[in-house]
Amino acid sequence: MISEFDLIARFFTRDQSSQPQVALGIGDDCALLNPTPGMMMAISSDMLVEGRHFFPGADARQLGHKCLAVNLSDLAAMGARPLGFTLALSLPQADEAWLAGFAAGLFALADAHDCALIGGDTTRGPLNICITIFGEIPPGLALRRDAAEVGDDIWVSGTLGDARLALAGLRQDVALDPASQAAAAARLDAPTPRVALGLALRGVAHAAIDISDGLSGDLGHILQRSGCGARIDLDALPLGPVLARQPQALQRAFALAGGDDYELCFTAATTQRAAVLAAAQAAGTAVARIGSITPAGGLQLVDASGATLDLHPSSFDHFASP
Ligand code: ADP
Ligand code: MG
């Protein structure tokens, strides 16, 4: 069987001469990064655990994509530019076909964002993938959760709910035809981090968060940190195309509290509407205006007629949720 060091050399070590942000890559006790002088570092970790975040036997290439995508999404939600990442891998065995697929998915996304793999750790154990990502941002321009202001518009990127619908289909809670299941599963297995949008929203948006646990819960973090409330028009939520063909109750439940969307939810002053739309166009990502920030605490849900709805969406919690 391949040794630990051969594994790292063969699957994870690449020529980094074209990546000036890397002063020293894999192979020493630490990597050395070269952030642009004057920039702040943005740092985040996310872990994917087999049986918890993905099904046993999940496709290796998709896992390679997803574990980096969820980390890039955190940089996007801050408005940070990716520089590099470390990869801590626990593997039950050194399966070379699995490693080749995993590395292909990982590096395809890493290269698309010029984000360099600079180090990590490799050990035998239950399948567990932990990435720490490093980005940079000019001081004062980070899109923080505590920066929403009363009167701001609330926006979301892309569409919501198809990832959650794919999970419901896999669990056979909802019957989906094979084409619909495949289309929804693409959102669950291969999320698109909105890095370009996050960068374009620097200086335009106030607060931002990426929607990993469901819109209502994640927006709730902005409300809590910013000390305000929100009013959301449920009929303005941009639904995933597969979810859009489902009954309304399911649409609302999954768009509000689905999870795994990896879209951005952000707030911006009403005077910035044209600037938000220009940022979205420059980034090639659709955005929808779904409500506004209010002084009172809590989340008020209304429909297009203005009627208040009494829904209690719950977001995903690893210890409180089933
Ligand atoms: P140390 O003994 O200092 O922990 P290791 O022997 O674990 O170093 O790793 C050797 C080198 O390989 C280090 O530079 C480390 O960052 C890198 N590395 C280990 N595992 C990975 C991985 N899965 N992906 C990328 N680099 C890795
Ligand atoms: Mg080590």
Side-chain angles (χ1 to χ4, degrees):
M1 191 188 277
I2 185 171
S3 78
E4 178 186 330
F5 297 102
D6 288 343
L7 184 163
I8 296 164
R10 193 159 138 212
F11 294 102
F12 298 116
T13 308
R14 302 157 93 219
D15 175 20
Q16 293 178 316
S17 53
S18 67
Q19 293 178 300
Q21 71 270 37
V22 184
L24 184 63
I26 292 171
D28 212 315
D29 296 313
C30 290
L32 299 174
L33 269 182
N34 262 328
T36 309
M39 295 286 220
M40 298 186 93
M41 300 282 291
I43 303 162
S44 180
S45 294
D46 257 310
M47 179 157 57
L48 294 190
V49 176
E50 185 177 55
R52 190 72 210 170
H53 299 95
F54 57 90
F55 290 108
D59 179 74
R61 192 184 169 106
Q62 283 175 341
L63 270 181
H65 172 98
K66 186 164 179 176
C67 66
L68 182 58
V70 303
N71 280 275
L72 285 165
S73 179
D74 283 317
L75 291 186
M78 220 62 194
R81 184 173 77 84
L83 294 174
F85 65 103
T86 60
L87 169 67
L89 257 186
S90 167
L91 298 169
Q93 69 265 323
D95 175 338
E96 295 181 33
W98 189 94
L99 282 160
F102 178 82
L106 182 81
F107 284 122
L109 186 63
D111 291 348
H113 293 279
D114 190 24
C115 190
L117 176 58
I118 56 171
D121 197 25
T122 306
T123 175
R124 189 191 283 246
L127 182 57
N128 188 336
I129 308 157
C130 182
I131 285 180
T132 297
I133 198 161
F134 303 84
E136 66 179 20
I137 187 153
L141 287 187
L143 306 175
R144 298 165 51 133
R145 295 180 183 185
D146 60 6
E149 292 181 18
V150 172
D152 276 1
D153 291 320
I154 301 171
W155 301 79
V156 292
S157 65
T159 64
L160 301 173
D162 269 2
R164 179 64 182 83
L165 182 60
L167 185 62
L170 287 172
R171 289 178 176 160
Q172 301 189 326
D173 296 336
V174 174
L176 293 176
D177 63 82
S180 298
Q181 179 67 41
R187 287 299 305 266
L188 179 65
D189 297 331
T192 304
R194 302 300 189 186
V195 177
L197 180 63
L199 291 173
L201 288 171
R202 284 178 180 174
V204 173
H206 284 153
I209 191 167
D210 67 322
I211 305 174
S212 53
D213 298 330
L215 172 66
S216 63
D218 288 323
L219 173 60
H221 295 306
I222 289 183
L223 303 184
Q224 196 210 345
R225 297 288 294 273
S226 299
C228 53
R231 183 183 162 94
I232 295 291
D233 176 0
L234 288 178
D235 292 320
L237 297 180
L239 301 176
V242 190
L243 185 60
R245 300 194 294 270
Q246 297 294 316
Q248 190 188 60
L250 202 65
Q251 291 178 356
R252 290 180 167 175
F254 285 2
L256 273 176
D260 262 340
D261 294 308
Y262 298 102
E263 296 295 351
L264 297 187
C265 174
F266 57 96
T267 81
T270 55
T271 51
Q272 295 285 355
R273 284 180 186 169
V276 168
L277 294 174
Q281 187 156 30
T285 305
V287 294
R289 190 154 52 80
I290 62 164
S292 53
I293 296 291
T294 59
L299 182 60
Q300 190 190 2
L301 303 172
V302 300
D303 66 13
S305 75
T308 299
L309 292 132
D310 193 21
L311 298 177
H312 298 283
S314 57
S315 69
F316 189 78
D317 179 311
H318 277 284
F319 296 101
S321 304

